[in-house]
Amino acid sequence: MKNKKNRTSLVSKRILVYLSIMASLLISLNGFSQNKDKKELTANDYHLWSSLRAGQLSESGKWMSFALYYDSGNDTLFVKSTIATTLYNFPGASKGAFIGDKWFSAMSRKGELLITDLSTTKQQTVEQVVSYDLRVGTTDIIFMKKKSDEKKQLEIKNVESGNSLVLNNVENYWYNSKADAVAYTTKSEKSTTISLLNLSDKTTTLIASTTEGFDYSDTVWQHSGNSIAFLQQPLDDEKKTARTSVGYYSIDGHKLYTFNPAQHDDFPTDMEVISSSFANLSISDDGSRIFFGMEKTTTPIDPLQTQIWNADDKFLYPVKINDDNWNKIAKVAVWWPEQNRFSPITDNEFPKMMLSGDQKYAFIYNPAKYEPQENRDAPLDIYILNLETGERKLVLQNQSTGGGTSISIFEKHIAYFKNKDWWIYDITRGLHRNLTKELGVFFSDNESDWPEEASPFGNPAWIQADNTLLVYDKYDIWSIALDGSSARRLTKGRENKTTYRIAPQSPQLYDKMNYDVGYKIMYQPSERLVLKTEALEHKGYCFWDKKNGVQPLLDKKMHTSRLLAGQNNDCYVYQEENYNFPPRLLFKQKSNSKEKVLFQSNPQHFKYNWGRSKLISYTNSKGTILNGVLFYPANYNSQIKYPMIIHLYEKQSKELYKYVNPSQNNPTGFNISNFTSNGYFVFLPDIVYEIGNPGPSAVDCVVSATKKVIDSESIDRSRIGLTGHSYGGYETDYIITQTDIFAAAVAGAAITDFVNGYLWVVPGYGIPNFYHYEFGQLRIGKSLYEDYPAYLRNSPLYHADKVNTPLLSWAGDQDGQVDHNQTIEFYLALRRLGKINTMLLYPGANHVLMEKKHQEDLTQRIEQWFDYYLKGNKKPEWL
């Protein structure tokens, strides 16, 4: 009887949908708010849209590079004058860079180096280029190209004069701007050499030479450019009798040092010298120590052998076998070339490391120390190792790895976050100091609705000469002296609830690694910092320096991003957009100048009807004031009652000003502009959670938000759809077990069974999924055996009998984050109960869909699903 009642209810909903649509059509025919000058957007038009990405400013800011990216792959690199209308385009090109203020270089898809004189439009094309660099401070370009005989050639070309220096038979090269030199290798039939080319006087120095059975690789420069290190590797047919060695060449001393493992009795016979991402070859800043990797040769595991899973193993069987008790993990050693002695830094007892700022100490640790445990990452005991003496001492015990442990990039300190405060450890004195205890603000989120202790807002940088640490609170940036003598709030964001964050100008600042952790950015006291500002409805940029404090630049009700400052003068380019205004690049000659539009992307946007966005405030049943973003249908008519799609995923109000390209290529099948152009409202509500009740919390917030929007906007309450992916998929599935106010739903990669999910191995991490529920996003806060009812209460699967909403569910069958069997389980439950559910399973796909054919398929099916249930369109054949 219940199933019959459900189906009758659905038929009634369909009749209401039909009547509502007919009423809408009658209103439309009467001519309310129709914009006859603009076109209706369809899927056939989506290919016109591109994504804009700012590139670089030339030295004096006269030129700006940027690129447009299309779903079709027909991308284009552009160079635009900031003072005139001149515009260059380079279809399919990448790796663009300015040479001074007059020249621009880029790589074509065909491997051509394109060198353009921006003042005359004259272009040079060099074919078969493998890689290139610009010689800093000059108009020289350094590039390597393949010749017709497949041999390679290194050329240093002055683009102004046309003069070139050519080196033949070059295999590889490594440029260093501080040394103003290039290290390079050459290969002939009888020998391989590594040499140094001084670019200022064009003199060449032979560093080392070996027989044809060897190769030089992994060359690295000392930071100052005073020396280089490299590996001398035997080729495959020589490996039985020869071993990889390390070379170190002092440029000032004109001396080569070699570390040959065969000549060191204490070097393990079952290990080889290597350089890898986490055991890379490097040189200390003072040039006295070389760090290199060592790797053990191991026997492959028989895939058919019996697997033994012991409950007290440190790691689960797949990880244990993969690591082989750390035997398969590369180790790091240090070598003193002048003394020709070496010492291992990491071993199986302490397999992970990071170097101190002066590289005289290493901080070593073992991630398995507190395993097995329940969280994703175990806490650490961190020891300091004196590389010179070998003395080892415990400095941090039971340190949370989610707490932002970081290493200074100057000399003698380590910063770490513990018990809600920032601390400093002084290596020289062996002292710990709490830097933030007396400041009266929180440096981690005291309002977090996650069960675990909140991570800090961040420690973005250091100011070296001032010996100060920069840290964030919820709104502001603080400068704190390492000796605890002073602490200064650099910004005043708390007063008007504006968040200030440093926006690094160089991409290289993000990429520095210190073996198993990342370096923090170092600034100079005189340096001006670019700050990104963000409030609820205002975004922008400003500057800060020691002398002038905060200096405003721009503050708008727009989404601003990718600000670039000129190197040699006070000019700026930045990108801005709004939901109903496509991204554009703007230029300011000075900080107080009037802005000028450099480039407007997607000009076709203005020929089509489009929606707009609006911030909506609402209150849940607990009295918490929340926000959401409402997107209006294109060519909105207040006399029409529209259908609405609600998209779920925690807090989404930051999407207020984001422009969304219409597209068929959507990794989760959902696209706001597709729906608004097809006559839908789209709503993105914020959700807050009660620990132990994530499902009921979502119901409370989403239903409260939905009622508020229905009461205030022209929305048909009988035609509301719900959708989400991953955690949003979970929320979707749970909500439709608790309410019938939604006429249709779509859930992707959803968690549906908390019991099953808790007892699952996460393939991406190789760890139990306990952490996700006890400490993480699922927010139960207790183990399955401490609060079994909570796991049942919050699982959509155990309430499937109450679902009356037609559901489209989908997943990738190789999902490494959420078990796709969770989607199958919910499908089987709904099938057994006679509910309306269609499941899409994408072969070979992960958590989101990366194959374009899958993206297009999912996007189309989701839109057809909602069009059928919310607009009364013809039923798709696949249903």
Side-chain angles (χ1 to χ4, degrees), residues 243 485 646 666 751 830:
R243 303 179 75 177
S485 61
I646 299 179
N666 304 290
I751 302 142
L830 297 177

PDB file of all heavy atoms in Angstrom, residues 243 485 646 666 751 830:
ATOM      1  N   ARG A 243      78.914   1.701  -9.828  1.00  0.00           N
ATOM      2  CA  ARG A 243      77.876   2.267  -8.974  1.00  0.00           C
ATOM      3  C   ARG A 243      77.761   3.765  -9.244  1.00  0.00           C
ATOM      4  O   ARG A 243      78.703   4.418  -9.682  1.00  0.00           O
ATOM      5  CB  ARG A 243      78.209   2.020  -7.499  1.00  0.00           C
ATOM      6  CG  ARG A 243      78.394   0.549  -7.172  1.00  0.00           C
ATOM      7  CD  ARG A 243      78.751   0.336  -5.716  1.00  0.00           C
ATOM      8  NE  ARG A 243      77.604   0.522  -4.851  1.00  0.00           N
ATOM      9  CZ  ARG A 243      77.648   0.340  -3.528  1.00  0.00           C
ATOM     10  NH1 ARG A 243      78.766  -0.010  -2.934  1.00  0.00           N
ATOM     11  NH2 ARG A 243      76.564   0.511  -2.784  1.00  0.00           N
ATOM     12  N   SER A 485      59.561  39.220  22.235  1.00  0.00           N
ATOM     13  CA  SER A 485      59.607  40.590  22.764  1.00  0.00           C
ATOM     14  C   SER A 485      58.496  41.479  22.247  1.00  0.00           C
ATOM     15  O   SER A 485      58.174  42.498  22.872  1.00  0.00           O
ATOM     16  CB  SER A 485      60.966  41.227  22.427  1.00  0.00           C
ATOM     17  OG  SER A 485      61.145  41.276  21.006  1.00  0.00           O
ATOM     18  N   ILE A 646      18.712  23.055  -5.837  1.00  0.00           N
ATOM     19  CA  ILE A 646      19.547  23.375  -4.679  1.00  0.00           C
ATOM     20  C   ILE A 646      20.765  22.471  -4.710  1.00  0.00           C
ATOM     21  O   ILE A 646      20.638  21.242  -4.767  1.00  0.00           O
ATOM     22  CB  ILE A 646      18.771  23.183  -3.358  1.00  0.00           C
ATOM     23  CG1 ILE A 646      17.562  24.115  -3.324  1.00  0.00           C
ATOM     24  CG2 ILE A 646      19.678  23.425  -2.161  1.00  0.00           C
ATOM     25  CD1 ILE A 646      16.718  23.989  -2.069  1.00  0.00           C
ATOM     26  N   ASN A 666      31.678  18.926 -17.250  1.00  0.00           N
ATOM     27  CA  ASN A 666      31.633  19.204 -15.817  1.00  0.00           C
ATOM     28  C   ASN A 666      31.986  17.936 -15.047  1.00  0.00           C
ATOM     29  O   ASN A 666      31.295  16.920 -15.180  1.00  0.00           O
ATOM     30  CB  ASN A 666      30.229  19.679 -15.423  1.00  0.00           C
ATOM     31  CG  ASN A 666      29.803  20.888 -16.228  1.00  0.00           C
ATOM     32  OD1 ASN A 666      30.321  21.971 -16.064  1.00  0.00           O
ATOM     33  ND2 ASN A 666      28.832  20.686 -17.132  1.00  0.00           N
ATOM     34  N   ILE A 751      28.088   8.968   0.242  1.00  0.00           N
ATOM     35  CA  ILE A 751      28.237   8.075   1.387  1.00  0.00           C
ATOM     36  C   ILE A 751      26.824   7.765   1.861  1.00  0.00           C
ATOM     37  O   ILE A 751      26.051   8.677   2.178  1.00  0.00           O
ATOM     38  CB  ILE A 751      29.029   8.772   2.503  1.00  0.00           C
ATOM     39  CG1 ILE A 751      30.398   9.209   1.991  1.00  0.00           C
ATOM     40  CG2 ILE A 751      29.178   7.872   3.719  1.00  0.00           C
ATOM     41  CD1 ILE A 751      30.882  10.527   2.514  1.00  0.00           C
ATOM     42  N   LEU A 830      16.697   0.940  -2.577  1.00  0.00           N
ATOM     43  CA  LEU A 830      15.559   1.605  -3.222  1.00  0.00           C
ATOM     44  C   LEU A 830      14.870   0.663  -4.208  1.00  0.00           C
ATOM     45  O   LEU A 830      13.639   0.681  -4.349  1.00  0.00           O
ATOM     46  CB  LEU A 830      16.017   2.880  -3.918  1.00  0.00           C
ATOM     47  CG  LEU A 830      16.591   3.973  -2.999  1.00  0.00           C
ATOM     48  CD1 LEU A 830      17.084   5.157  -3.822  1.00  0.00           C
ATOM     49  CD2 LEU A 830      15.556   4.434  -1.984  1.00  0.00           C
TER      50      LEU A 830
END
